Amino acid sequence: MLPLWQIQLLGLAALLGFFKFLESTAGMRGTGGEDSLGPLLHRVMRVCFLTIIWGGWVYSQPLLLPLFLAYLFTYLDLSELNGGRAKVAAGWRVWGWLRDYFPLELHKTVELDPRQQYVFGIHPHGVLPFGSAVALQSHACGFHRLFPGLQHRTLAASICFYVPGYRDLVLAGGVVDASRFSARGVLRSGQSVSLVPGGATEALYADPKKDVLVLRKRAGFIKLAMQHGASLVPIFGFNENNTYEQWWADNATVDAIKKKYQAIFGMSLPLIKNIIPRRAPIHVVVGAPIKVEKVVEPSREQVNAVMEEYIAGLQELFATHGPRYNVPKHKELEII
């Protein structure tokens, strides 16, 4: 019989493969803006995942069973799919420590009307998105003072809400699932949404010498904004990519392996040289809103046209503020 840890590893690999299959069929993202899995299957998948992660310890230590069952109750509430939880983590001191460590600043370029809705596009992702987490999800940089009354939720990959502990942290920060129906639910509630269009793939391109954005084929957030008539707002975190350096960043073979890993498991695998993030002055600049006409079912041509307008606004934001905040100052922006 296989050792318990090997059984757990095989079960986890099978479950991650199942997640990837569902994503490829738009199951986890939702179809037509609605949840195509349903709450029962969502909960079954979470029970399977938690059992694989904790089952061995509970089996070997029966006294852990009450703790397991108690956590299961909150683990299955599906908060991330239904608007999220209260932002109880926004005032935690750890955000202030992170702000001072890098250091990190938030900059406003224009006023944003809190009566309007926005889809904030955050760039770049970096290995870990410190800029967006500290500047937008907490009170450390004064987002609530710079943009009073503006309520928003940040979207994160579905896998974030399966990992015990980490799930509770991101929920406490006001983060919700990035599935299509979840994002639309937030906008229907009258709030705005923020997201990193480049996602985990963009983390593989994180390089202190240049900023590479995975954007041109990530039009889902453009379509989302058009369907709700929400203005698009580009946000750029200057020097976000300076906090980590990767091994073999320009090696084609290693790059192919990392992309294959992501294709199978749905998670990126940056090969970082440093565990502790390096200090770098991160400047998160909120750009001017781009007005978007509401179109319930926009055509591909309409979406592409708005995408080009968004990219132009993002490039202008980079060109305007890059010379002041970039380290090094000659850093270039590449959009793929």
Side-chain angles (χ1 to χ4, degrees):
M1 184 176 179
L2 291 174
L4 182 59
W5 70 269
Q6 291 186 8
I7 296 174
Q8 288 179 312
L9 189 62
L10 289 172
L12 182 60
L15 197 59
L16 289 173
F18 182 50
F19 291 160
K20 188 60 185 176
F21 168 75
L22 289 175
E23 286 190 315
S24 67
T25 58
M28 294 185 79
R29 295 189 299 273
T31 54
E34 301 299 331
D35 183 1
S36 56
L37 291 181
L40 177 60
L41 186 52
H42 278 297
R43 289 188 170 97
V44 168
M45 291 168 59
R46 281 159 172 74
V47 169
C48 291
F49 188 90
L50 194 62
T51 301
I52 290 170
I53 296 297
W54 278 8
W57 286 282
V58 174
Y59 178 77
S60 60
Q61 301 290 334
L63 292 177
L64 294 176
L65 183 60
L67 178 63
F68 176 82
L69 294 176
Y71 182 71
L72 191 64
F73 180 76
T74 61
Y75 186 73
L76 299 179
D77 65 4
L78 303 183
S79 297
E80 65 274 18
L81 302 177
N82 298 294
R85 295 177 182 170
K87 298 182 181 181
V88 296
W92 288 357
R93 289 185 179 181
V94 65
W95 303 118
W97 296 339
L98 287 171
R99 176 201 60 206
D100 297 337
Y101 172 78
F102 288 107
L104 196 152
E105 295 183 41
L106 175 65
H107 305 274
K108 178 175 72 173
T109 59
V110 297
E111 297 289 341
L112 295 180
D113 187 348
R115 296 170 297 180
Q116 303 297 318
Q117 284 186 289
Y118 305 95
V119 173
F120 296 98
I122 304 166
H123 315 271
H125 184 285
V127 173
L128 291 174
F130 291 110
S132 60
V134 177
L136 305 181
Q137 293 305 118
S138 78
H139 297 328
C141 293
F143 183 92
H144 60 300
R145 292 190 296 271
L146 292 174
F147 305 102
L150 203 163
Q151 301 295 322
H152 74 101
R153 294 279 181 171
T154 298
L155 308 182
S158 300
I159 189 64
C160 295
F161 301 97
Y162 281 81
V163 182
Y166 183 68
R167 171 183 190 272
D168 303 281
L169 287 175
V170 293
L171 281 172
V175 181
V176 297
D177 192 279
S179 54
R180 193 174 299 134
F181 71 90
S182 175
R184 295 190 67 174
V186 172
L187 288 170
R188 289 193 188 110
S189 73
Q191 299 182 82
S192 298
V193 297
S194 57
L195 67 150
V196 185
T201 301
E202 200 167 87
L204 301 177
Y205 293 91
D207 187 340
K209 300 185 293 295
K210 60 182 178 179
D211 288 316
V212 178
L213 306 184
V214 179
L215 180 59
R216 294 192 180 277
K217 294 183 179 180
R218 302 295 180 95
F221 76 108
I222 300 290
K223 185 177 181 180
L224 177 69
M226 296 179 71
Q227 290 175 326
H228 293 268
S231 296
L232 287 158
V233 179
I235 298 177
F236 202 91
F238 292 92
N239 305 318
E240 182 75 75
N241 285 333
N242 292 24
T243 57
Y244 287 97
E245 192 171 351
Q246 300 191 53
W247 292 103
W248 308 295
D250 299 319
N251 186 294
T253 302
V254 174
D255 188 52
I257 293 173
K258 289 191 291 187
K259 289 180 178 179
K260 186 65 175 178
Y261 176 90
Q262 185 185 2
I264 295 173
F265 295 105
M267 299 179 292
S268 63
L269 185 65
L271 302 177
I272 55 176
K273 293 183 179 180
N274 51 302
I275 301 299
I276 299 175
R278 294 172 179 168
R279 300 185 68 180
I282 301 176
H283 294 272
V284 179
V285 182
V286 181
I290 300 167
K291 296 293 184 181
V292 175
E293 180 183 354
K294 184 174 182 178
V295 183
V296 177
E297 290 297 334
S299 65
R300 179 176 299 179
E301 291 74 19
Q302 290 174 308
V303 172
N304 290 341
V306 175
M307 171 64 88
E308 291 304 317
E309 186 179 359
Y310 179 84
I311 290 176
L314 181 60
Q315 290 172 327
E316 181 181 355
L317 185 69
F318 185 88
T320 301
H321 300 278
R324 181 178 181 183
Y325 298 130
N326 264 333
V327 179
K329 291 186 179 297
H330 61 269
K331 191 182 295 186
E332 296 182 354
L333 175 65
E334 181 182 353
I335 300 177
I336 59 177

